[in-house]
Amino acid sequence: MNLLLLEPQEVTAEGCVTLADRRHHHLRTVLNSAPGDTLKVGMLGGNIGSATLKETTPERSILSDLVCTRPPPAKLPLTLILALPRPKAARRICRTAAELGIEKLILLNSYRVEKSYWQSPLVQTERIASYFLEGLEQAGDTVLPELIVENRFKPFVEDRLPALLEGKRALLAHPYGDAIPTEAITEPTVLAVGPEGGFIPYEVEKLLLAGMQTMSLGERILRVESAVPTLLAKLFP
Amino acid sequence: MNLLLLEPQEVTAEGCVTLADRRHHHLRTVLNSAPGDTLKVGMLGGNIGSATLKETTPERSILSDLVCTRPPPAKLPLTLILALPRPKAARRICRTAAELGIEKLILLNSYRVEKSYWQSPLVQTERIASYFLEGLEQAGDTVLPELIVENRFKPFVEDRLPALLEGKRALLAHPYGDAIPTEAITEPTVLAVGPEGGFIPYEVEKLLLAGMQTMSLGERILRVESAVPTLLAKLFP
């Protein structure tokens, strides 16, 4: 946690904030903060800045002198379409995506996504939002990525994807695709990443029909967890 | 597992291999392979190619017609110096490093590495080798990275690091360093990545004295797990 995220309604008229949740525990047990310490804070959806730890007891911590005037780091102009990962991997992948600064995440069904994954409590929207928060706290960002859940492949790809791709660069990560574009992409981009094992040929065909173009990371086949940061780093150097 | 790794001594004079371990279980339960199927295989430390599943029972699987004539994917000319990660994160980070193709991994002590980490069974050399194997099986590679364990910071950095850096590009990932070099690095490189929280100023100074140069990934502070693939992708586009 490199940034303590606060919500606007937590701030009193005097600019104080009382914490009693995991942020309070983090201050005490990980940061070992003492009264008088300056803390890096951010307003959820807003600016970043600092606050002073005024008082801390086992029950609560009180921050004062809250000043948030600097904008958070810029986002990557990227919508990531991701086949729903294994629930246990979803936390890390969603956290990493927020950490790296994506704007929007679309979780999509695919033939190789086990049906049971959709029922897991670990991939419900509130949980995904908590993974995003962890990523923002790590990266020093304040703005949650937008989350869209599409649990049916065909209606999404046929009815909604073409409009989403309009005016954007649209890439499908695929082991047997073209080489990765060598010029840096600064234009808004949509990137689709399949499940472990990849999208099946029918799905690839549908995604290409909707306007996507395949790209490959080369000879090595990477886990989704390694592929996402690698793709983002190569696309936005 | 995109590649079934075999050891030379497992192959009979007739070119057959009998498997009864986790590879056998993977064939049966994940790949659902049936007799006659062609499998992608590699000889540990050698070439990649194919084999035919001759016979499979609940107890064992027998491969025949083993032909390995293609070289594995090229390695990145990279030595990664990594402050020993939290044991639970070590598996993923070491697996990813092997998956991405590093040549050598040096696990280093640092002030912010908890002493107890070194005692964990999860970071003993045989376990690290098993994480490497998982990375190779994923990426379709056959060559294990070299592993060096340096559990004392100062003797390593003062006595052995300078010779290691000779003739190589030497970079220290550091949130407050210079911008990342924009030209692609194809020369042999040594990259040092600190623990969560970073190397302390004394350690940074020692690493710079040994000949390293700081570099930064920008405003976002990444977890080690996200930083490693991001750094490798940017350094070897």
Side-chain angles (χ1 to χ4, degrees):
Chain A
M1 201 189 281
N2 292 305
L3 183 80
L4 211 62
L5 272 175
L6 307 172
E7 299 199 41
Q9 66 271 23
E10 293 180 308
V11 184
T12 66
E14 295 75 33
C16 285
V17 180
T18 301
L19 303 177
D21 60 5
R22 67 188 180 89
R23 296 167 294 177
H24 160 66
H25 293 290
H26 186 81
L27 281 178
R28 290 184 66 89
T29 60
V30 180
L31 300 180
N32 293 312
S33 302
D37 283 2
T38 299
L39 304 169
K40 194 173 165 192
V41 299
M43 298 305 299
L44 192 62
N47 283 334
I48 57 179
S50 66
T52 303
L53 181 58
K54 192 178 168 192
E55 183 185 318
T56 180
T57 67
E59 289 74 34
R60 59 179 195 175
S61 297
I62 301 177
L63 313 187
S64 64
D65 306 316
L66 186 65
V67 185
C68 288
T69 53
R70 282 181 299 127
K75 291 280 188 204
L76 302 177
L78 179 78
T79 295
L80 178 64
I81 300 176
L82 193 67
L84 183 71
R86 247 182 338 110
K88 283 181 103 172
R91 174 179 172 190
R92 289 195 300 277
I93 297 172
C94 293
R95 185 177 71 189
T96 300
E99 195 177 312
L100 296 169
I102 71 161
E103 271 179 350
K104 192 195 278 199
L105 177 66
I106 300 177
L107 290 175
L108 180 61
N109 194 30
S110 151
Y111 182 81
R112 292 211 175 97
V113 170
E114 288 185 24
K115 284 202 174 43
S116 63
Y117 290 180
W118 289 103
Q119 309 308 323
S120 166
L122 298 179
V123 301
Q124 303 313 308
T125 52
E126 311 74 39
R127 293 297 278 273
I128 303 279
S130 74
Y131 309 150
F132 283 165
L133 275 178
E134 291 177 23
L136 298 181
E137 289 168 344
Q138 169 69 33
D141 194 356
T142 64
V143 182
L144 283 167
E146 185 185 345
L147 174 65
I148 296 177
V149 175
E150 294 282 0
N151 54 18
R152 292 178 63 212
F153 181 88
K154 199 171 165 227
F156 168 70
V157 174
E158 285 186 348
D159 304 341
R160 292 184 286 284
L161 185 59
L164 191 77
L165 300 185
E166 219 154 289
K168 301 198 185 77
R169 183 103 182 218
L171 298 168
L172 164 62
H174 195 58
Y176 312 104
D178 302 318
I180 204 156
T182 49
E183 77 281 27
I185 296 176
T186 49
E187 56 185 319
T189 301
V190 179
L191 170 68
V193 177
E196 301 297 346
F199 287 117
I200 61 171
Y202 165 83
E203 292 169 337
V204 170
E205 192 185 317
K206 283 283 182 193
L207 290 165
L208 298 182
L209 265 176
M212 306 204 94
Q213 175 194 350
T214 59
M215 53 172 280
S216 163
L217 279 171
E219 209 180 338
R220 293 176 183 273
I221 300 173
L222 303 182
R223 266 185 188 73
V224 173
E225 297 173 56
S226 325
V228 167
T230 299
L231 287 160
L232 269 53
K234 289 193 188 265
L235 290 176
F236 302 96
Chain B
M1 200 188 281
N2 293 304
L3 183 78
L4 212 62
L5 273 174
L6 307 173
E7 300 198 39
Q9 67 270 25
E10 293 179 309
V11 184
T12 65
E14 294 76 34
C16 287
V17 180
T18 301
L19 302 176
D21 59 7
R22 64 188 183 88
R23 295 167 295 179
H24 159 67
H25 293 290
H26 185 82
L27 282 179
R28 291 184 65 89
T29 60
V30 180
L31 300 180
N32 293 313
S33 302
D37 283 1
T38 299
L39 305 168
K40 197 176 165 191
V41 300
M43 297 307 299
L44 192 61
N47 282 336
I48 56 180
S50 65
T52 303
L53 182 58
K54 192 178 166 190
E55 181 185 320
T56 180
T57 67
E59 289 75 35
R60 60 181 193 171
S61 297
I62 302 177
L63 314 186
S64 64
D65 305 315
L66 187 63
V67 184
C68 289
T69 52
R70 283 180 300 127
K75 292 281 189 202
L76 302 177
L78 179 78
T79 295
L80 178 63
I81 300 176
L82 194 68
L84 184 71
R86 247 183 334 111
K88 283 181 105 171
R91 175 181 170 188
R92 289 195 299 277
I93 297 172
C94 293
R95 184 177 70 190
T96 299
E99 194 177 311
L100 296 169
I102 71 163
E103 270 179 350
K104 191 196 280 200
L105 176 67
I106 300 178
L107 290 174
L108 179 61
N109 194 29
S110 151
Y111 182 81
R112 292 212 175 96
V113 170
E114 289 185 24
K115 285 200 174 44
S116 63
Y117 291 0
W118 289 104
Q119 308 309 323
S120 167
L122 298 179
V123 300
Q124 303 314 308
T125 51
E126 311 74 41
R127 293 299 277 272
I128 303 279
S130 74
Y131 309 150
F132 283 165
L133 275 179
E134 292 177 22
L136 299 181
E137 289 168 343
Q138 169 69 34
D141 193 356
T142 65
V143 183
L144 283 167
E146 185 185 347
L147 173 66
I148 297 177
V149 175
E150 293 283 359
N151 54 17
R152 292 177 62 211
F153 182 87
K154 200 169 163 230
F156 169 70
V157 174
E158 285 185 348
D159 305 340
R160 292 184 284 284
L161 185 58
L164 191 77
L165 300 186
E166 220 155 287
K168 301 198 184 77
R169 182 103 182 218
L171 298 168
L172 164 61
H174 195 57
Y176 311 105
D178 302 318
I180 202 155
T182 50
E183 76 281 29
I185 297 176
T186 49
E187 56 186 316
T189 301
V190 178
L191 171 68
V193 177
E196 301 297 345
F199 286 117
I200 61 172
Y202 164 84
E203 292 169 338
V204 170
E205 193 185 314
K206 283 284 182 194
L207 291 164
L208 298 182
L209 266 175
M212 305 204 94
Q213 174 195 353
T214 60
M215 52 171 282
S216 162
L217 279 172
E219 210 180 340
R220 294 177 182 272
I221 300 173
L222 303 182
R223 266 185 188 74
V224 172
E225 296 174 54
S226 324
V228 166
T230 299
L231 286 160
L232 269 52
K234 287 192 191 268
L235 290 175
F236 301 96

